[in-house]
Amino acid sequence: MTLAVQVPGELSARVPVEQRGPGLDRDAVRLLLSRGTKVSHHAFRELPRLLRAGDLLIVNTSTTLAAAVDGRVGHARVVVHFSTCGDDGRWAVELRDPDGKGTTRVHAGGPAGTEVRLPGGVRLVLEEPLSACGDRLWWGRASGAEVLGMLRVHGRPIRYSYTERDQPLSVYQTVFALPSADGTGSAEMPSAARPFTARLVAELVSRGVQFAPVTLHTGVASAEAHEPPYPERFSVPEASARLINAVKAGRGRVVAVGTTAVRAVESAVGADGVVRAREGWTDLIVTPERGVRVVDGLLTGLHEPEASHLLMLEAIAGRAALDRGYEEALRGRYLWHEFGDVHLLLPEEHPHTEHCSSNCW
């Protein structure tokens, strides 16, 4: 889907909110609340009073990698974005051209056999496109050193031209991030969770809101072409699956924090609506036709009008709610992208059905 809106460039969040003024923390962003087509405006710090005891937040624990690194193809400079490590040890990568401003622009991928020289003596050879539908991402095989070790020493967080400057990797970690046993993580931050602080999490818990951790390692976003997501690694632990099922049975609301959390949990639910512990790869694309079986609501950032993620939002909230919410976000001059404001989509509440569950939109 494409929303009939235009997002002015000045509404891109260029720096994290805590760098915009003294005394600000991550939770100083704004929150747009949509209940069906009813919209209200809040500070993110108000989230504990917008949820209720018995609600469950599904959060992604993936850490963000320093996934961008400088390299050379022949004499030409390139920037390599490392996206996903495959089961065979190859990496899905995107090559981009430096733009002279500290960020990058699209670079034509390939051809097969292209060798990229990287820091630390690493050589990356492109082998084949990740998908038959395009050549943005390629499978490449690295030799000479271990890729994750190279990224830890020489890498930096991926950033795009709407941001003002490079930021330390800590800026791209959420409060829920947990290092994985094998050192893998997300190429780009699961940014919907960025506004949470330890204090806010404690307040939510004290009010009876529960948390279910899942993991989905996000690949490199399609910043220009807005392609659908590629297969990604995910894990839904047994304890989280049990908690989600218990909340659903108790008629509580299951709210995903970010589209990555939706993709993970919807990949672990059976046709019977029961969530089971699962891990591996998911190629699930949530669309209005497929619908959702687990989540009742979603906390997410504001997406570009062409973004494929909007299909997921429409599946959860419906097109009318989405159109209305984005109209209000533009009118209220909310900020877009990973350092921007957030949008909470909740089921519409009807009189005498306050505890309605399962997508009462």
Side-chain angles (χ1 to χ4, degrees), residues 65-76:
L65 301 175
V69 66
D70 295 320
R72 287 189 177 271
V73 175
H75 295 294

Side-chain angles (χ1 to χ4, degrees), residues 243-261:
L243 183 55
I244 293 165
N245 292 329
V247 168
K248 297 293 283 186
R251 303 184 67 80
R253 297 180 300 184
V254 175
V255 179
V257 177
T259 58
T260 62

Side-chain angles (χ1 to χ4, degrees), residues 122-169:
V122 175
R123 295 290 188 271
L124 177 73
V125 177
L126 303 186
E127 294 188 351
E128 60 181 336
L130 183 68
S131 167
C133 300
D135 61 357
R136 182 178 67 90
L137 291 175
W138 281 69
W139 284 115
R141 193 174 297 277
S143 60
E146 194 258 333
V147 168
L148 289 170
M150 177 200 63
L151 294 178
R152 282 191 292 271
V153 175
H154 300 285
R156 60 186 179 275
I158 290 172
R159 78 175 181 98
Y160 295 106
S161 58
Y162 51 78
T163 55
E164 188 172 285
R165 56 181 177 268
D166 282 345
Q167 299 284 349
L169 185 58

Side-chain angles (χ1 to χ4, degrees), residues 76-323:
R77 294 176 56 225
V78 296
V79 176
V80 181
H81 290 177
F82 280 84
S83 181
T84 305
C85 185
D87 292 335
D88 59 1
R90 297 188 300 174
W91 279 83
V93 298
E94 180 185 25
L95 269 60
R96 296 177 68 90
D97 291 322
D99 63 3
K101 304 173 185 176
T103 54
T104 59
R105 54 179 174 262
V106 176
H107 174 102
T114 296
E115 181 181 273
V116 186
R117 302 192 309 279
L118 297 170
V122 175
R123 295 290 188 271
L124 177 73
V125 177
L126 303 186
E127 294 188 351
E128 60 181 336
L130 183 68
S131 167
C133 300
D135 61 357
R136 182 178 67 90
L137 291 175
W138 281 69
W139 284 115
R141 193 174 297 277
S143 60
E146 194 258 333
V147 168
L148 289 170
M150 177 200 63
L151 294 178
R152 282 191 292 271
V153 175
H154 300 285
R156 60 186 179 275
I158 290 172
R159 78 175 181 98
Y160 295 106
S161 58
Y162 51 78
T163 55
E164 188 172 285
R165 56 181 177 268
D166 282 345
Q167 299 284 349
L169 185 58
S170 59
V171 165
Y172 291 87
Q173 305 295 2
T174 75
V175 71
F176 304 110
L178 295 171
S180 61
D182 60 3
T184 55
S186 290
E188 298 184 12
M189 172 177 55
S191 56
R194 191 182 190 278
F196 285 87
T197 61
R199 182 201 62 79
L200 191 70
V201 171
E203 184 179 350
L204 285 162
V205 171
S206 73
R207 288 174 173 257
V209 176
Q210 302 181 84
F211 290 84
V214 299
T215 301
L216 186 134
H217 295 319
T218 67
V220 172
S222 172
E224 291 86 12
H226 302 294
E227 303 155 358
Y230 289 98
E232 295 166 317
R233 289 182 183 272
F234 82 104
S235 172
V236 175
E238 177 68 34
S240 292
R242 289 182 180 179
L243 183 55
I244 293 165
N245 292 329
V247 168
K248 297 293 283 186
R251 303 184 67 80
R253 297 180 300 184
V254 175
V255 179
V257 177
T259 58
T260 62
V262 177
R263 196 181 201 199
V265 73
E266 292 287 336
S267 298
V269 64
D272 57 0
V274 176
V275 178
R276 295 173 176 85
R278 280 196 62 190
E279 62 179 19
W281 292 87
T282 177
D283 59 1
L284 175 67
I285 298 175
V286 177
T287 64
E289 292 73 28
R290 189 267 186 190
V292 288
R293 300 172 185 166
V294 182
V295 301
D296 303 302
L298 173 65
L299 178 72
T300 183
L302 293 163
H303 302 279
E304 293 287 356
E306 310 85 5
S308 61
H309 287 311
L310 291 172
L311 289 170
M312 179 187 290
L313 272 63
E314 184 179 353
I316 295 169
R319 180 62 187 257
L322 211 52
D323 285 340

